[in-house]
Amino acid sequence: MAKSLSTISIFTEISKVQSNMKRSPSVLVAAMVTLCLVAVAARTEAAETNARMAALLSITSQELKHDVDALADDTFEGREAGTRGNRAAGIYIIERLKKMGLDGGGPKHSFYQNFGSYSNILAYVPGRDAELAKQVVVISAHFDHVGYGSSRNSYGPIGRIHNGADDNASGVAGLLEVAQALTQLPEKPRRSILIAFWDGEEKGLLGSKHWLENPTVPVKNVAIMFNVDMIGRLRNSRAVVYGTRTSAGLRRLVSRQNDPSQLLLNFNWEMKGDSDHYAFYSRNVPVLMLHTGLHDDYHRPSDDADKINAEGLKQISQLMFNVLVELADAPSLSGFRGQSRSETRFDQQTRERGLSSPPGRLGVRIDGKAATNGQVVVNSVSAGSAADLAGLRAGDRVLKFAGGDVTDAARFLVNVLATSGSATATIERPGQDEPLEVTLNLPGEPVRLGISWRTDDAEPQAVIINRVVSGSPADLAGLRVNERIYRIGGREFAGGEEFRRLVAESNGPIQLEVEGEGRVRSVEVVPSTIRTLQAQDGGEEPARPSGP
């Protein structure tokens, strides 16, 4: 989304129009009308942003803790599907939904979808857009657990209440807070939203499978299913996101909504049938799933509420809310990406393995202590390198390179990388009164930024860095292997070739929007100006075969 014009900048533009168009009243009127419309749009956008932020801030750690404490209390006897404790937990959830003013999403607008002795609990938020409201975003968490445990579902000891505070009272609490935050928005999202609390997950995804066989909205209308399971044990700000490869562009969407939470996200390619999202995935529905990881209390009586990270649960829940609203409001969403079915963790490891750095062009090691003072003092010289062939020795200090004074060790390395062919250097050598001048014949091609990249059809409008040359402008700017570049100079791009063209056309510092581990930041790269017209970065690496 483009930046909004501030009120001051709008009136500044109006003043410019007035001064430049005094002789053209009709043009002035048209321009004034346009600028006023822009001003109204800017105020509207600001109001929407403020309203969304207010809704986001309504998600609090105190309310989340309250719900986890309630659902993980011994009163509910571990919430095993089909038991009185499970039914009591269902009543608790429905009472919370009713207080929010939400409507039921089950048969005849009931909150219940009964099947045998089990019950899914459903709420429905109709979309505001006449066309997009036909599409449905399902957001869900299972509310059952394993009761007193058995040899089939507990790591013991069995016969004691397994409260399942993390599994999955945490997910239910997060979903309840997100549902409440939706009611705080001044207008509903464009797509419809089905809020689902599945029953029987621990018995084999029974609730989600039943809904898919007996849907309360047509399955073909489900644009995406967003599931949360075990989100209460956030550690070191790290969470796992599954499913981003089931539809193009999901990693970018999730990362851009991670700004308030600033979580470190592990985008895992693995898809296993261990939670309700898999039932939808099996029916070719795009899915997302958030998870904060397994722990020693998993399926044990010790999974109690006092071990929940309430502040971390708030961070996850706020990310949930932002992602949900973005999914429901996006102008378009990609369909199911069938290639995700054949992609494995091995494929992920293969694709994300960085390329080795090219050989150094100069062939020296620099004294680190001297470098902190801007000096380039040679510690050692590699045999057969450009430095060796030019006669450089340990102890030499480089005073000039390519006609310029050397006062910054980092910039010296950048200039070496960017220089084509040969260059002269002035050397100060211990024991000699006069500086020496040598010619360095630098091998290899010069680079401008010092990166190469690949593309990925699951991540359109992005390039993925697979090599950062040590000492290059990209390295100095802090770019790293496997980071994604989403924008250059504030502009979107269609793929690797357009990105290359925009880099080549850029003059001066280059502003990049970069994402790594789900955190998006702005990075300024200052490319070297010492280069030939042929100098370029590595570009896209040819596709490598995946699989074993």
Side-chain angles (χ1 to χ4, degrees):
M1 184 179 294
K3 288 184 178 179
S4 301
L5 288 172
S6 68
T7 303
I8 293 175
S9 66
I10 290 166
F11 283 107
T12 300
E13 292 301 316
I14 291 173
S15 298
K16 289 179 181 178
V17 170
Q18 288 174 326
S19 62
N20 293 333
M21 297 186 177
K22 289 180 179 177
R23 297 180 182 178
S24 304
S26 60
V27 175
L28 175 60
V29 169
M32 292 285 286
V33 169
T34 301
L35 288 169
C36 287
L37 290 174
V38 170
V40 170
R43 286 196 296 271
T44 301
E45 182 183 328
E48 290 174 354
T49 300
N50 291 338
R52 179 162 164 178
M53 181 57 68
L56 181 77
L57 295 177
S58 73
I59 298 173
T60 68
S61 56
Q62 292 83 2
E63 291 184 1
L64 287 160
K65 184 178 185 304
H66 175 82
D67 282 331
V68 172
D69 287 347
L71 291 162
D73 189 87
D74 285 354
T75 305
F76 295 130
E77 298 180 302
R79 307 187 309 278
E80 183 177 2
T83 67
R84 62 182 182 180
N86 173 275
R87 288 190 291 273
I91 292 170
Y92 176 90
I93 294 168
I94 289 174
E95 288 304 311
R96 290 276 281 111
L97 295 172
K98 285 180 178 178
K99 287 181 180 178
M100 299 175 199
L102 292 172
D103 295 325
K108 298 181 180 179
H109 304 292
S110 167
F111 285 103
Y112 286 110
Q113 184 190 36
N114 299 316
F115 56 107
S117 58
Y118 311 138
S119 298
N120 291 327
I121 297 170
L122 308 172
Y124 190 70
V125 180
R128 74 173 191 273
D129 185 282
E131 283 302 314
L132 288 180
K134 299 173 185 175
Q135 299 179 24
V136 180
V137 177
V138 176
I139 183 165
S140 69
H142 76 88
F143 72 97
D144 65 304
H145 194 48
V146 299
Y148 287 84
S150 70
S151 58
R152 296 186 305 275
N153 59 25
S154 171
Y155 291 105
I158 61 176
R160 294 167 52 185
I161 295 174
H162 292 52
N163 281 316
D166 189 26
D167 188 11
N168 185 33
S170 64
V172 173
L175 186 49
L176 285 171
E177 277 291 278
V178 167
Q180 182 170 290
L182 282 175
T183 67
Q184 307 300 307
L185 293 171
E187 59 180 1
K188 296 172 183 175
R190 299 167 72 185
R191 288 181 180 81
S192 300
I193 298 171
L194 179 69
I195 301 166
F197 300 87
W198 307 118
D199 200 2
E201 189 267 0
E202 300 287 8
K203 296 181 181 294
L205 316 184
L206 298 183
S208 51
K209 288 178 179 178
H210 175 78
W211 187 90
L212 286 163
E213 292 300 324
N214 305 272
T216 55
V217 298
V219 175
K220 66 179 181 180
N221 290 359
V222 177
I224 189 166
M225 188 271 205
F226 183 12
N227 188 46
V228 291
D229 197 348
M230 296 181 64
I231 57 172
R233 295 285 193 96
L234 187 69
R235 287 150 286 185
N236 300 315
S237 297
R238 294 189 173 276
V240 185
V241 186
Y242 295 94
T244 54
R245 302 190 66 79
T246 63
S247 186
L250 287 181
R251 173 170 177 151
R252 177 177 179 156
L253 184 148
V254 171
S255 296
R256 282 186 163 170
Q257 302 312 311
N258 185 35
D259 183 53
S261 299
Q262 283 294 291
L263 296 166
L264 288 166
L265 302 178
N266 171 13
F267 295 94
N268 195 311
W269 292 20
E270 198 169 29
M271 296 295 290
K272 297 190 297 185
D274 54 2
S275 193
D276 293 293
H277 64 285
Y278 196 83
F280 283 75
Y281 173 67
S282 299
R283 296 286 292 269
N284 296 334
V285 176
V287 297
L288 284 172
M289 206 274 270
L290 280 176
H291 179 50
T292 55
L294 297 177
H295 43 74
D296 291 343
D297 301 308
Y298 174 68
H299 278 216
R300 287 187 167 93
S302 52
D303 183 9
D304 282 325
D306 61 340
K307 296 179 181 177
I308 293 296
N309 178 354
E311 189 61 30
L313 180 53
K314 182 186 80 171
Q315 290 177 270
I316 294 282
S317 301
Q318 289 183 338
L319 176 61
M320 286 169 58
F321 174 76
N322 275 339
V323 170
L324 174 62
V325 174
E326 191 66 20
L327 290 170
D329 271 340
S332 62
L333 294 173
S334 300
F336 184 74
R337 182 175 170 272
Q339 298 95 313
S340 63
R341 293 201 176 283
S342 60
E343 293 174 335
T344 66
R345 286 293 300 275
F346 179 83
D347 296 323
Q348 182 176 10
Q349 292 166 1
T350 301
R351 294 294 299 278
E352 293 185 349
R353 189 179 301 129
L355 302 179
S356 58
S357 263
R361 301 192 71 202
L362 186 57
V364 299
R365 287 185 179 276
I366 294 175
D367 185 294
K369 186 176 180 180
T372 60
N373 296 319
Q375 299 178 357
V376 175
V377 177
V378 177
N379 256 353
S380 63
V381 179
S382 300
S385 66
D388 184 33
L389 296 175
L392 264 65
R393 303 175 188 172
D396 287 349
R397 178 185 170 193
V398 183
L399 302 177
K400 290 180 178 290
F401 177 77
D405 292 336
V406 175
T407 58
D408 185 322
R411 184 51 53 178
F412 165 74
L413 295 176
V414 167
N415 290 340
V416 168
L417 288 170
T419 298
S420 178
S422 62
T424 59
T426 303
I427 307 298
E428 180 182 75
R429 179 166 292 169
Q432 294 198 15
D433 295 333
E434 297 295 326
L436 303 174
E437 191 169 280
V438 299
T439 299
L440 297 165
N441 294 306
L442 301 169
E445 292 295 321
V447 297
R448 188 178 186 203
L449 296 185
I451 61 172
S452 63
W453 59 82
R454 64 179 178 86
T455 55
D456 186 335
D457 66 1
E459 300 183 48
Q461 295 181 296
V463 294
I464 304 167
I465 299 172
N466 58 7
R467 175 161 54 197
V468 179
V469 178
S470 178
S472 67
D475 187 26
L476 293 181
L479 295 179
R480 296 292 176 260
V481 169
N482 282 325
E483 289 188 319
R484 275 71 175 157
I485 300 175
Y486 293 143
R487 292 189 186 196
I488 175 169
R491 293 179 58 179
E492 308 275 351
F493 53 87
E497 285 306 312
E498 187 176 359
F499 175 73
R500 183 200 300 275
R501 178 178 61 78
L502 291 172
V503 168
E505 292 174 355
S506 298
N507 295 315
I510 299 174
Q511 296 292 334
L512 301 176
E513 182 184 81
V514 178
E515 177 261 305
E517 293 187 284
R519 291 180 174 179
V520 179
R521 70 189 196 281
S522 179
V523 174
E524 181 178 272
V525 184
V526 183
S528 175
T529 56
I530 305 176
R531 67 189 186 97
T532 65
L533 292 176
Q534 289 76 36
Q536 58 186 359
D537 292 287
E540 183 174 354
E541 192 71 10
R544 291 176 289 184
S546 60

